[in-house]
Amino acid sequence: MLELTMAAVSAAESGATAGMLMADAPSEPGTVLRVGRDTSLCRLATPDDWLFVSRVHLEFQCAQDGSWQLTWLRGSLPEPSSEVRLTVGEYAQPVAYGGTVPLPRGGSGEAVILDRTAPRSVNVGFYHEI
């Protein structure tokens, strides 16, 4: 099972969150959890006016072996207005625009979508339960 928690954070809220959302899915091949602005496609939806987040921005997908991976889906623009960082333990790495990275089995971490033009972010915590 993969469990996700999402918080939308802006400087105006001084570290407070604009609501915490949660989603989970079984570790079955082909299972997908999406994060973005489009509520019809995404289990975790960000505020509509946060245009630095694509309609469908992040996709967590379960592979054939039960492991999970994170993909930053390419949007309609050639250059994104955000950046995505993945933190697992004390290790942080950028995720390439259109890139995919594996998530640790039985581990936890956070994917952060950072607005390049304003001090706000979407923080998506994950926990892979074996």
Side-chain angles (χ1 to χ4, degrees), residues 78-104:
E79 290 296 318
S81 54
S82 63
E83 53 187 82
V84 176
R85 293 189 190 144
L86 179 67
T87 303
V88 177
E90 54 190 63
Y91 301 102
Q93 70 180 65
V95 177
Y97 187 42
T100 300
V101 293
L103 299 180

Side-chain angles (χ1 to χ4, degrees), residues 35-58:
V35 177
R37 291 190 338 262
D38 189 332
T39 56
S40 68
L41 298 172
C42 300
R43 289 274 305 273
L44 296 175
T46 63
D48 287 339
D49 60 344
W50 283 29
L51 300 179
F52 70 97
V53 178
S54 301
R55 286 181 56 242
V56 181
H57 202 91
L58 299 178

